[in-house]
Amino acid sequence: MATTNSSAPGSDRRPPTRHRALAALLGATRAQVLLLIAIHAEATTNDLVDELAVSAATVSHHTSVLRHSALITTRRDGVSVHHGLTPLGDTLLRAHGLPGAPRHP
């Protein structure tokens, strides 16, 4: 199946190639979740709901898959659920040329 790009030249809105490769591996939404957690160093489920404009159930499902794949950690603080990047998640992002967890000197 061939696809055509009907957009004007230079208006390609697809994510950069590195992000597309990660999305092919994890799925587009999971790749976005992992990248957002890395960019913010930690994100709550509600943060991810707001950023991705999806339901809490959708975020919960994707974070559960990422957690079971050892790419993120999850901890509960009262009613909030916080997600952080694991060393494996950091390595996966960096291997794709994407920003991993912030480095502390």
Side-chain angles (χ1 to χ4, degrees), residues 18-19 22-23 25-26 30-40 66 71-72 84-103:
R18 292 173 177 164
H19 187 269
L22 185 64
L25 179 65
L26 299 176
R30 285 188 197 115
Q32 280 185 291
V33 168
L34 192 64
L35 193 53
L36 285 169
I37 291 169
I39 289 168
H40 298 293
L66 292 169
L71 298 174
I72 67 169
L85 208 56
T86 65
L88 181 60
D90 181 64
T91 299
L92 180 64
L93 287 173
R94 291 181 190 281
H96 282 85
L98 296 165
R103 299 284 184 188

Side-chain angles (χ1 to χ4, degrees), residues 1-93:
M1 171 190 256
T3 59
T4 58
N5 185 355
S6 59
S7 303
S11 66
D12 190 0
R13 292 182 175 239
R14 293 181 302 172
T17 302
R18 292 173 177 164
H19 187 269
R20 286 195 309 263
L22 185 64
L25 179 65
L26 299 176
T29 303
R30 285 188 197 115
Q32 280 185 291
V33 168
L34 192 64
L35 193 53
L36 285 169
I37 291 169
I39 289 168
H40 298 293
E42 183 177 86
T44 66
T45 298
N46 287 335
D47 293 337
L48 296 169
V49 166
D50 292 344
E51 291 257 4
L52 298 171
V54 297
S55 71
T58 297
V59 168
S60 263
H61 169 72
H62 289 298
T63 55
S64 176
V65 171
L66 292 169
R67 185 174 55 257
H68 286 102
S69 300
L71 298 174
I72 67 169
T73 60
T74 300
R75 68 177 173 79
R76 185 172 290 279
D77 182 17
V79 296
S80 295
V81 179
H82 298 261
H83 308 284
L85 208 56
T86 65
L88 181 60
D90 181 64
T91 299
L92 180 64
L93 287 173

